[in-house]
Amino acid sequence: MAGAGAGFDFEHCEALVRDGDPDRYWASLFAPADKRPYLFALYAFSFEIARVRDSVREAMLGEIRLQWWRDALQGEARGDVRANPVAAALDDTIVAFRLPRQTLVDLVDARVLDLYDDPIPTLNDLEGYCGETSSSLIRLASIVLTGGDPGSADPAGHAGVAYALTGLLRAFPWHARRGQVYLPQDILARHGVVREDVVRGRGGPGLRRAMADLRAVARKHLAHVRILRS
């Protein structure tokens, strides 16, 4: 598996996930001990990509940072990519389990949405974003855990959307304060809510109903997971 010099890289990833993504950290502790470092590498990568907006002053700088990750995944980055401990641990994980690099590149591409305050037109668009950022990560983790093809992608797809929607609902006030609205336009319009009301902190019955709709969608996806697992 990973080389002898990779210990620090994986330890760095574990610390990053423990501090920045505690939900996935605690879930990883239920995995076999020999698989945890590789899960931490995946989750540290996801965390690094997700927090790009918070670490730059403007969207273009975020685009540059995401492009570095694309280049690193595709072997086109300049300089020593392995000097970055997350990139090094991720590369070891990709090689050890033959993970599809394009899936990780697609995850990077999906995170461009986070850099801007553009509205999300439809629920289908939001579910697609959740699939690229969360479902794909569950699918990759399943490959690590099984050591090969985990079978149907449907459970991971529904689980990832349910997980991501729950996270977006939980972070709704924080996102709204900085001008991001992940509630899709079609759901907002159904309840007579406009984006300006959300970012200015004006709630009301319409917004509560819109958020209830999104909770129902998350529960629907979770129900699909339970059916597929039975």
Side-chain angles (χ1 to χ4, degrees):
M1 292 286 181
F8 168 79
D9 299 329
F10 285 99
E11 290 171 3
H12 175 84
C13 290
E14 179 178 354
L16 196 63
V17 176
R18 182 182 62 240
D19 295 339
D21 193 352
D23 290 346
R24 287 194 174 99
Y25 173 78
W26 291 109
S28 298
L29 298 185
F30 289 91
D34 64 326
K35 298 296 181 68
R36 290 174 202 162
Y38 303 105
L39 295 178
F40 291 140
L42 283 174
Y43 298 152
F45 162 73
S46 174
F47 176 69
E48 288 280 72
I49 299 303
R51 69 172 179 172
V52 165
R53 174 170 173 147
D54 299 324
S55 60
V56 297
R57 296 190 306 274
E58 56 187 73
M60 184 53 64
L61 295 175
E63 293 263 18
I64 292 171
R65 188 161 298 186
L66 291 179
Q67 185 59 48
W68 184 91
W69 279 102
R70 288 191 196 93
D71 292 343
L73 288 164
Q74 296 170 334
E76 299 174 0
R78 296 180 180 179
D80 184 8
V81 171
R82 294 189 66 86
N84 180 310
V86 176
L90 180 65
D91 188 62
D92 286 341
T93 302
I94 291 170
V95 172
F97 296 94
R98 299 181 180 179
L99 300 182
R101 291 179 182 269
Q102 188 58 48
T103 300
L104 293 160
V105 173
D106 292 342
L107 193 157
V108 174
D109 290 342
R111 285 294 182 184
V112 173
L113 175 73
D114 300 337
L115 301 178
Y116 301 93
D117 298 332
D118 297 339
I120 297 175
T122 68
L123 174 61
N124 187 61
D125 293 320
L126 179 60
E127 289 174 317
Y129 164 84
C130 293
E132 296 286 3
T133 57
S134 181
S135 301
S136 62
L137 201 61
I138 293 175
R139 180 73 172 171
L140 292 169
S142 298
I143 295 173
V144 170
L145 290 169
T146 61
D149 185 356
S152 173
D154 288 345
H158 288 294
V161 174
Y163 185 87
L165 290 178
T166 301
L168 291 174
L169 285 165
R170 184 168 59 181
F172 175 82
W174 182 70
H175 285 144
R177 281 195 297 270
R178 69 178 191 179
Q180 282 182 299
V181 180
Y182 285 92
L183 282 169
Q185 293 290 98
D186 57 352
I187 290 181
L188 290 175
R190 185 187 308 153
H191 299 289
V193 180
V194 296
R195 178 184 178 278
E196 288 69 24
D197 289 338
V198 177
V199 298
R200 292 177 182 175
R202 294 197 293 261
L207 180 57
R208 289 195 293 272
R209 288 193 294 269
M211 295 185 73
D213 280 1
L214 206 58
R215 289 197 300 273
V217 173
R219 291 191 181 105
K220 179 191 73 174
H221 283 285
L222 182 58
H224 280 301
V225 176
R226 288 170 174 157
I227 291 170
L228 291 168
R229 282 173 52 87
S230 61

